[in-house]
């Protein structure tokens, strides 16, 4: 779905927004630094405009990778954002983390499946809350190779992912990086009714 159509669904009809949030991208986890990946998919476009709504993943229950990372951005339960990985796979169970906006996510990391058969592909994502609770995007039991925790930068929030993969049949998520959105860069809002104003980010949060 084109970005303009997604924003029309997520944001009020009476406004047209410039880019609001700065987005940072972490280093990649999993996969291989010596492999050339041809498919890169990012939540960055939507992360610049609005808040993360939900995350879901379908994971191979036999220690394999995340086959599909379903849209991170949604409205009324309908996925709208970028689709990471193999959307046609029926392998494994689906794991969902909803209502991400408002959660006090302090650190994030990925687990990798190891090199045997999967090319060290991404296996699951873990989100650590301020109270120590860990939310799992993917299996809560599979973690062949846990990566180091990446703290959410001060003044930022967890804003989705960026992934790399290969063409079919290896189009599951090989590498994953985390996105963090921060302070307002430009917050000018042009009102369709003919008004213009500058609003703080808090007034625009979904």
């Amino acid at each position: 779905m084109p970005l303009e159509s997604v924003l029309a669904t997520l944001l009020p009809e009476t406004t047209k927004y410039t880019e609001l949030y700065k987005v940072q991208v972490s280093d990649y986890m999993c996969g291989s630094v010596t492999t050339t990946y041809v498919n890169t998919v990012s939540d960055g476009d939507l992360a610049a405009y609005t808040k993360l709504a939900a995350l879901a993943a379908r994971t191979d229950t036999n220690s394999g990778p995340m086959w599909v990372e379903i849209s991170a951005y949604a409205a009324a339960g309908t996925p709208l954002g970028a689709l990471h990985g193999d959307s046609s796979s029926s392998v494994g169970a689906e794991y969902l983390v909803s209502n991400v906006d408002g959660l006090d996510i302090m650190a994030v990391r990925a687990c990798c499946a190891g090199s045997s058969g999967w090319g060290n592909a991404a296996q699951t994502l873990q989100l650590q809350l301020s109270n120590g609770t860990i939310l799992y995007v993917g299996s809560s039991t599979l973690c062949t190779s846990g990566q180091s925790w990446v703290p959410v930068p001060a003044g930022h929030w967890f804003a989705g992912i960026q992934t790399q993969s290969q063409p079919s049949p290896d189009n599951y998520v090989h590498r994953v990086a985390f996105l963090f959105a921060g302070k307002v860069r430009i917050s000018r809002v042009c009102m369709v009714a003919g008004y213009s104003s500058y609003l703080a980010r808090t007034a625009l949060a979904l």
Side-chain angles (χ1 to χ4, degrees), residues 57-59 66-71 83-92 94 165-173:
R58 192 175 299 279
T59 303
M66 289 191 295
W67 286 92
V68 54
E69 179 68 26
I70 298 173
S71 172
L83 182 65
H84 306 264
D86 180 12
S87 61
S88 64
S89 176
S90 60
V91 177
E94 185 178 20
S165 63
Q166 298 284 45
S168 180
D170 297 324
N171 53 334
Y172 45 83
V173 175

Side-chain angles (χ1 to χ4, degrees), residues 33-198:
V33 296
T34 61
T35 299
T36 299
Y37 296 97
V38 299
N39 299 324
T40 299
V41 179
S42 179
D43 294 325
D45 285 346
L46 282 177
Y49 286 90
T50 186
K51 294 290 191 70
L52 186 67
L55 284 159
R58 192 175 299 279
T59 303
D60 188 322
T61 55
N62 295 313
S63 77
M66 289 191 295
W67 286 92
V68 54
E69 179 68 26
I70 298 173
S71 172
Y73 288 80
T78 301
L80 295 171
L83 182 65
H84 306 264
D86 180 12
S87 61
S88 64
S89 176
S90 60
V91 177
E94 185 178 20
Y95 302 83
L96 175 68
V97 176
S98 60
N99 300 320
V100 177
D101 184 15
L103 292 179
D104 195 10
I105 297 172
M106 303 299 292
V108 294
R109 74 169 183 169
C111 292
C112 310
S115 59
S116 178
W118 298 112
N120 199 38
Q123 191 175 47
T124 190
L125 307 181
Q126 297 182 358
L127 315 177
Q128 186 179 61
L129 304 185
S130 59
N131 63 2
T133 299
I134 296 177
L135 304 179
Y136 299 91
V137 186
S139 173
S140 61
T141 58
L142 297 178
C143 189
T144 302
S145 178
Q147 304 301 291
S148 299
W149 287 99
V150 176
V152 175
H156 293 70
W157 54 89
F158 173 56
I161 59 174
Q162 181 169 296
T163 61
Q164 293 186 326
S165 63
Q166 298 284 45
S168 180
D170 297 324
N171 53 334
Y172 45 83
V173 175
H174 287 250
R175 305 179 81 199
V176 59
F178 296 96
L179 305 184
F180 308 106
K183 299 175 182 178
V184 178
R185 180 166 66 184
I186 303 172
S187 57
R188 184 164 60 89
V189 181
C190 299
M191 308 301 291
V192 172
Y195 298 96
S196 296
S197 63
Y198 287 79

